[in-house]
């Protein structure tokens, strides 16, 4: 029998320099009593530190900018472009979490792509694509020796930012929505609050050998596809009720509709032909 134990899992590998910098910032904020002046000093020091770390990794900054520029070009609407801009800002200000590396890895690019899938499309394929990229990026990072705190924290944020809106938009059952939100939002929120309260970073508690959020995500995807195939789904309601023996006439009428790029003359000819088959 597999033994499952709760443990605080350190997110990513590296020399720990980014963690020490963050711990120092959080500790100063705590010693300042979280007053407005302490928050202002925290924001100023964090911004200056992010700028220095990005300047030390110009190649990673260019790679992150190029990737997000392509995603911005492919974004489907204004909300998608805003999401991509926010993703770029988070990436460019946390390049120090790459620690000993100066470039983004293929695993990092996959993680950032998953975070921006809703900006590209709201189709049914985005759910399976998110599962596949979530499966690949961690294994790719470990297999190539490119695991880092940047990739680990980006992975958690990408999952939460993708799956919570996905569930709210495509899952009608509040119990499933609540389960997925609890699986992602509560651990991240709890670790964030604890970090500010203690004045040092706190790792997100996880269960070794068990990933409940992944099972919930797969179930929500399956439920969405099953609803699309159900007899009462909107896809099937579009098909008119047919009298016995009229299947052939309906098929002829359906296939005789003009293609979107057909000329006006072709459309008129096909419309006249289809009228002969209407009962």
């Amino acid at each position: 029998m597999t033994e499952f134990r709760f443990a605080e899992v350190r997110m990513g590998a590296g020399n720990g320099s980014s963690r020490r910098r963050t711990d120092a910032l959080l500790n100063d904020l705590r010693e300042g009593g979280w007053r407005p002046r302490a928050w202002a000093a925290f924001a100023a020091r964090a911004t200056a530190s992010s700028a220095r770390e990005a300047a030390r990794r110009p190649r990673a900054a260019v790679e992150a900018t190029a990737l997000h520029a392509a995603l911005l070009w492919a974004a489907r609407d204004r909300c998608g472009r805003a999401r991509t801009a926010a993703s770029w800002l988070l990436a460019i200000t946390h390049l120090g979490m790459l620690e000993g590396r100066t470039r983004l890895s293929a695993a990092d690019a996959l993680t950032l792509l998953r975070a921006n899938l809703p900006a590209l499309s709201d189709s049914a394929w985005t759910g399976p694509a998110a599962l596949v990229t979530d499966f690949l990026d961690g294994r790719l990072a470990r297999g190539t020796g490119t695991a880092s705190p940047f990739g680990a924290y980006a992975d958690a944020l990408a999952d939460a930012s993708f799956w919570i809106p996905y569930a709210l938009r495509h899952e009608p059952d509040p119990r499933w929505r609540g389960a997925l939100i609890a699986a992602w939002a509560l651990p991240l929120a709890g670790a964030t609050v604890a970090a500010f309260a203690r004045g040092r970073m706190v790792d997100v508690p996880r269960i070794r050998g068990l990933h409940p959020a992944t099972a919930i995500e797969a179930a929500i995807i399956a439920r969405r596809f099953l609803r699309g195939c159900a007899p009462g789904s909107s896809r099937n309601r579009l098909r008119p009720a047919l009298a016995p023996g009229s299947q052939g006439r309906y098929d002829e009428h359906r296939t005789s509709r003009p293609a979107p790029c057909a000329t006006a003359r072709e459309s008129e000819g096909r419309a006249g032909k289809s009228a002969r088959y209407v009962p």
Side-chain angles (χ1 to χ4, degrees), residues 194-217:
F196 281 103
R198 297 181 183 182
R200 58 181 175 82
M201 291 184 67
V202 176
D203 293 306
V204 179
R206 293 186 175 184
I207 306 176
R208 291 178 179 173
L210 181 65
H211 301 279
T214 303
I216 299 172
E217 293 158 6

Side-chain angles (χ1 to χ4, degrees), residues 9-16 18-19 97 99 101 141-142 146-153 203 206:
V9 180
R10 289 188 177 271
M11 300 180 72
N15 56 24
S18 64
R19 190 182 188 97
M97 298 182 77
E99 298 197 336
R101 288 169 38 216
R142 290 188 293 272
T146 55
S148 69
F150 178 91
Y153 278 94
D203 293 306
R206 293 186 175 184

